[in-house]
Structures are given as structure tokens and as C-alpha cells.
Amino acid sequence: MAIVVQRQVILPWRQVIRIAFNSLKVRLFRSVITTITLALAIAFVAYTWSGYAMLNSLWPAADPDLQRIVLAKGYEPVGDQFGSSPKDRWLMFLSLLVAVVGIVNAQLMAVTERFREIGTFKCLGALNSFVVRIFVLEAMYQGFFGGLAGGLTGITFSTLSLGAKFGRPIFSNWPPAQMLFILSWACLLAVILSLLGVIYPALVAARMQPAVALRSEQ
Amino acid sequence: MEAQVNSLRPSEPQGGPAQPHNVVRLTEVTKVFKMGNNVVEALKGINLSIRAGEYLSIMGPSGSGKSTLFNMIGALDKPTTGRVFIDEVDVSQLDAYELAWLRCRKIGYIFQTFNLIQVMTAIENVTLPMIFAGMSRDEYMEKGLKNLALVGLADRYDHKPSELSGGQQQRVAIARALANDPAIVLADEPTGNLDLTTGEEIIVLLKKLSTERGVTIISATHDIKMLNVSDRVVWIRDGRIDRLEEREKLRISIGEVA
Ligand SMILES: Nc1ncnc2c1ncn2[C@@H]1O[C@H](COP(=O)(O)OP(=O)(O)OP(=O)(O)O)[C@@H](O)[C@H]1O
Ligand SMILES: [Mg+2]
């Protein structure tokens, strides 16, 4: 008797990328909400960190009067560095915590509300790896754009707020290289956290029996 | 193709060419759902052979286990005990790649709730199984449009499910189920969410597939009209097969009902 069962082919990345991108585009409203949640969390991190970068850049160039004003506003350098006092460390930790919780939660929700779709994909012959790849790609797109938007927002706001407090010297001593560094970190952080939030529920969903995934409420 | 061939062979010798072989066979299949202290025995030992090319209806009251049986036959869930054979291959012996291939190529699924991918258009839904099967874009677009034409929706190819009526969505689902020319089409209450006439149209369409293409149709249903087109009807009650009727006998028992 002839051969009965063969092995499913693995979908080329090109197709997976296309499907993931379309899925984001069509669900634009939902994906923008997720991305904004991500961006806000990252904005807080970028705001805190870029503030210290500007103060560190300003401090050596500032005249004693300005240095007094900075200290009077409650900023405390340790040695000559801002951002390493216990209070600052606590703030940085807090900003990271907000980002982790916000992003992981947003991605978790985004996957669980799509269990039925995952079940359908599997009925049509999707491999588990396809399901995981779709979500990983979507999370990476969202992480990157959310990180970029959040990073830019955070840096802009902290520049404006310090500029309002200390005036021109903030702008003339603005450290572009460090800001770029912070922006890159913000993007990377957003991508990593976004993946972290998506990977567990995506793995669980991908491994479910299709019948079980299909039963879940939409 | 030859290189990818799997070593799995039928576990039983086939009958002569005159006899249609069993495209699906279940032996002592049980399914138990445990939820906390609650244990539900949805299937309590099902033995059933389904012949290639037949139109089989599964009838039974709500909660009798039709959908559970549907999931077992379609390899969408694992039985608690017992075995399911598709083309005489034991489904429990298949790895993930083989199972995906089976769901992609051998079986087409139709659900009461349609289960179209909401964010995809009709043509994208229909071509998805072909993309999973590794077809090229030209091939799958051509075949996808052909399948949509078959169910009378060629002009709606670019519509999302939300822009289609229930009957139209179910037609798209049928076109999708036929994507890779499956030997088996499994339907779980395909007319359950449709009005009478639309439901009838869907039944006619399924019957046409069975007679013209020799596709094996297995359909769980509440719909009495489904009986007229069935070759056999399995009545299940409380997780067991109550009776199994051939077409000729059916006339009589429907007569009794009416
Ligand atoms: N995933 C599940 N978890 C727990 N119990 C389940 C599950 N699936 C089915 N059951 C139970 O198994 C029994 C059979 O359910 P099934 O859905 O197969 O019935 P059905 O014949 O399809 O009913 P209907 O005609 O209403 O669709 C029911 O008692 C149901 O509550
Ligand atoms: Mg049911």
C-alpha cells in the first residue's frame, strides 16, 4: 500500500514575516495600544537615565552658581557622578520595574486573546514553531518601535524639564553620544522585555492541542 | 517527494480494490475530562469504522459527545485511552510534523462557529493551508480563487469575515477545508449557526463534494435534513454509540419520527 503520512514542511521565514507584519497592520489599533504601553514604560526609563546623563555632562562645565542651583534642586552627586546615590538607584530600579511589568502584561494579554486563532492555525497545518515565530516577530516589531518612540519621548521630556530648571547650559552641554547610547539601550530593552512577555504564553499556546485552544473564549 | 517519504505503513493489510477501505477507524476510544474534582466521561468506548467516500452523520443530543468525537477523529485532541487510525495509521504514533501534515493535507475541518481568521480576507483564509503545504504564490492564488468560485464566492475574495454573512463565512470555511484536496472533510454542526435555507445550501454543497469528488464527509449535527443525504448515521448518547443505521433503514426510522 502507498505511503500514508509525510512530514509537514517548515514555512520559509519570508512567509512568516509577511503574515506577522500583516497581522500587526490589520490589528493596527490593538497593536498600537500594546506598542504605546511599551513606549510609556520605556519613556520612564529613558527619562530617568537621560536626566542623569545631562547632569553629568553639565556638572564639570557649570560655574559654582549653577552647581549650587543643581544641588538646591535636590540632585546629589556621589563623587562627581549623578545617578549613583541610593535614591537615584532606587528611581532607576523603579523605572525598570514599571517597564517590565507594563510590557510583559501587555504582551501576555495580546497572546491569550488570540488562543482561538492559534487553534485555527494548528488545524490548518501550522507547526508549533510557526505559531511561536509569528508571536516572536510581532513582539520584536512592537518592541523596536515602542522602544524607539518611548526612548525619544523620554529624552525629549527630560531635556525640556532640565532645560526649564537650569536654562541654556543644559542645551549647550547636551551629550549626543550618550543620548544615542540610551536610545539604543531603550530599544534593546523594549525588544527583550517584549519577547519575555510573549514567549511563555506563545509556547504554551503553540503546544496546546488544537481542540483545547479552539475552546477558549475569544 | 520520495526522499521525504515516511516509513509508516498501514498496520493491517488492505482489502481488495472492490472493498472501500476504512479511512478512519476508532477502537475503544474513551475521553475523560478532569476539572478539579469534576470528572466527565465524554466518550465511553467508541468503536467505529468509516469507509472511504461515505457521507456519515453523527447525531445525538447536546452534550452526548459529538464534538469530542469530532476532535478525536480529526486528530485535534488525544483520546484518554483507545486508538484512532487514519488510513490505518495509528495517529498516536505520529510526531508533530506528521500530525501537522495530516491536518493540512488529509483532513479539512468545518466548524459551527466557522473559525475563520478574522484579520484575513476570504482568499487569505482559503490559501493559508496551501501556504502551509509549501505551494508557490501563483499556484495557491489560482487554486484559492477556484475554490472560492466553487462555493459561489469568487467576487467576495477580498472581503474580511466581518463583512460576510454567516452563510458566506461558512462557504469560505468550506473552500478553505478543500484547500489541499483532503480525503476527509470533518464538519462539526456546520449548519448550527445558519438559518434553514442557508443550512440547506451548505448540506447540498457537502453532498456534492461527496458524490463528485469522492470525499469522505463526516458531520456531527442536530439537523434532521442532514439525514436525507447521509449514507450512514451514527447515533450517540451519553458517550456511547447507540445505533448505526444504513441509508435504506434510515428512511424507515425517519418515517417513524415524522
Ligand atoms: N474541554 C472540556 N472540558 C471539560 N468537559 C468537556 C470538555 N469538552 C467537552 N466536555 C464535556 O463532555 C461532554 C460532551 O461534550 P461535547 O461538546 O462533545 O458534546 P456535543 O455532543 O458536541 O454537544 P453539543 O450538541 O451541545 O455541541 C459534555 O458533558 C461536556 O460538558
Ligand atoms: Mg458540539
Side-chain angles (χ1 to χ4, degrees):
Chain A
M1 175 66 190
I3 286 68
V4 189
V5 178
Q6 297 177 16
R7 297 174 73 80
Q8 183 72 311
V9 291
I10 293 170
L11 213 57
W13 271 104
R14 190 171 43 81
Q15 288 281 10
V16 184
I17 290 172
R18 192 180 58 83
I19 293 174
F21 188 72
N22 273 344
S23 161
L24 276 183
K25 205 174 66 182
V26 171
R27 247 183 281 264
L28 193 63
F29 184 68
R30 187 66 183 84
S31 34
V32 164
I33 296 287
T34 309
T35 309
I36 287 177
T37 316
L38 248 123
L40 285 178
I42 289 298
F44 187 26
V45 177
Y47 179 88
T48 315
W49 293 12
S50 62
Y52 297 132
M54 280 185 277
L55 286 175
N56 284 330
S57 169
L58 173 74
W59 189 256
D63 54 47
D65 276 349
L66 187 56
Q67 289 191 346
R68 260 196 305 281
I69 300 177
V70 170
L71 294 179
K73 293 274 182 190
Y75 296 97
E76 339 162 5
V78 173
D80 264 354
Q81 287 289 309
F82 290 86
S84 40
S85 76
K87 190 187 97 187
D88 296 336
R89 286 186 177 278
W90 175 239
L91 264 179
M92 286 165 85
F93 172 74
L94 212 63
S95 69
L96 268 177
L97 197 69
V98 168
V100 172
V101 173
I103 294 172
V104 169
N105 179 52
Q107 291 294 16
L108 213 84
M109 301 261 302
V111 182
T112 43
E113 70 188 19
R114 282 166 69 186
F115 274 7
R116 259 185 95 104
E117 183 181 316
I118 295 171
T120 309
F121 274 136
K122 293 196 71 176
C123 286
L124 302 180
L127 293 166
N128 294 0
S129 61
F130 167 81
V131 175
V132 174
R133 283 180 189 187
I134 285 281
F135 283 101
V136 162
L137 274 178
E138 287 189 25
M140 279 170 63
Y141 291 143
Q142 288 176 329
F144 180 75
F145 286 110
L148 196 66
L152 288 174
T153 311
I155 290 172
T156 308
F157 271 90
S158 74
T159 305
L160 291 179
S161 109
L162 287 186
K165 281 178 190 159
F166 307 124
R168 287 191 75 87
I170 280 292
F171 301 103
S172 48
N173 290 295
W174 202 76
Q178 285 199 50
M179 291 306 191
L180 200 66
F181 182 74
I182 289 174
L183 192 62
S184 316
W185 267 106
C187 285
L188 190 69
L189 186 68
V191 169
I192 290 173
L193 291 180
S194 187
L195 283 176
L196 207 70
V198 101
I199 202 81
Y200 178 70
L203 273 176
V204 169
R207 286 195 192 134
M208 269 196 231
Q209 292 291 328
V212 179
L214 282 173
R215 267 180 75 92
S216 64
E217 303 298 321
Q218 199 158 32
Chain B
M1 282 287 267
E2 289 300 321
Q4 290 197 343
V5 154
N6 191 278
S7 60
L8 280 159
R9 304 269 160 185
S11 56
E12 274 184 8
Q14 296 295 301
Q19 265 172 296
H21 72 285
N22 290 330
V23 66
V24 177
R25 191 160 59 87
L26 285 79
T27 58
E28 291 301 327
V29 168
T30 68
K31 181 68 181 179
V32 179
F33 293 106
K34 286 201 187 79
M35 297 192 301
N37 292 331
N38 243 340
V39 176
V40 180
E41 271 186 272
L43 297 177
K44 301 173 180 170
I46 300 278
N47 290 294
L48 180 63
S49 293
I50 301 172
R51 301 189 281 256
E54 77 173 320
Y55 193 127
L56 182 90
S57 288
I58 302 169
M59 296 282 262
S62 184
S64 56
K66 299 185 296 297
S67 298
T68 311
L69 183 59
F70 169 96
N71 291 334
M72 297 302 136
I73 296 173
L76 297 181
D77 204 353
K78 288 198 170 96
T80 307
T81 61
R83 299 205 177 282
V84 176
F85 299 86
I86 293 179
D87 271 344
E88 295 301 342
V89 170
D90 185 346
V91 170
S92 68
Q93 303 294 315
L94 301 180
D95 67 20
Y97 290 85
E98 291 162 339
L99 267 177
W101 185 91
L102 192 82
R103 292 175 188 139
C104 187
R105 310 278 195 123
K106 201 113 207 171
I107 309 174
Y109 305 88
I110 300 170
F111 302 91
Q112 179 175 357
T113 49
F114 320 136
N115 286 358
L116 297 176
I117 307 279
Q118 293 299 316
V119 296
M120 293 187 177
T121 60
I123 187 75
E124 286 172 334
N125 266 286
V126 174
T127 53
L128 195 57
M130 306 182 207
I131 295 175
F132 286 142
M135 274 195 194
S136 75
R137 192 186 146 80
D138 289 346
E139 278 178 296
Y140 67 66
M141 285 308 283
E142 188 191 329
K143 185 147 188 217
L145 287 171
K146 210 180 79 193
N147 280 8
L148 278 175
L150 182 79
V151 297
L153 281 176
D155 53 333
R156 296 300 190 98
Y157 73 96
D158 208 16
H159 288 244
K160 296 257 168 61
S162 55
E163 300 157 3
L164 297 171
S165 73
Q168 289 171 332
Q169 290 187 50
Q170 196 60 299
R171 283 157 186 275
V172 175
I174 293 176
R176 182 179 71 181
L178 298 175
N180 294 318
D181 298 312
I184 306 164
V185 168
L186 255 178
D188 190 4
E189 307 202 24
T191 61
N193 278 359
L194 305 174
D195 64 42
L196 282 177
T197 34
T198 321
E200 223 159 320
E201 284 166 23
I202 297 294
I203 294 173
V204 168
L205 195 56
L206 288 175
K207 183 63 186 176
K208 206 174 99 182
L209 288 174
S210 148
T211 48
E212 287 179 9
R213 297 187 172 200
V215 178
T216 310
I217 310 272
I218 305 166
S219 174
T221 187
H222 282 302
D223 197 335
I224 296 290
K225 283 195 300 304
M226 197 70 110
L227 296 184
N228 298 326
V229 298
S230 307
D231 297 319
R232 281 200 299 167
V233 179
V234 181
W235 300 82
I236 61 171
R237 172 175 295 171
D238 199 19
R240 289 180 217 278
I241 294 185
D242 195 29
R243 58 208 155 99
L244 229 162
E245 289 177 319
E246 300 282 337
R247 188 182 185 78
E248 300 77 52
K249 293 213 184 120
L250 258 168
R251 294 267 153 70
I252 307 164
S253 51
I254 297 171
E256 283 166 3
V257 170

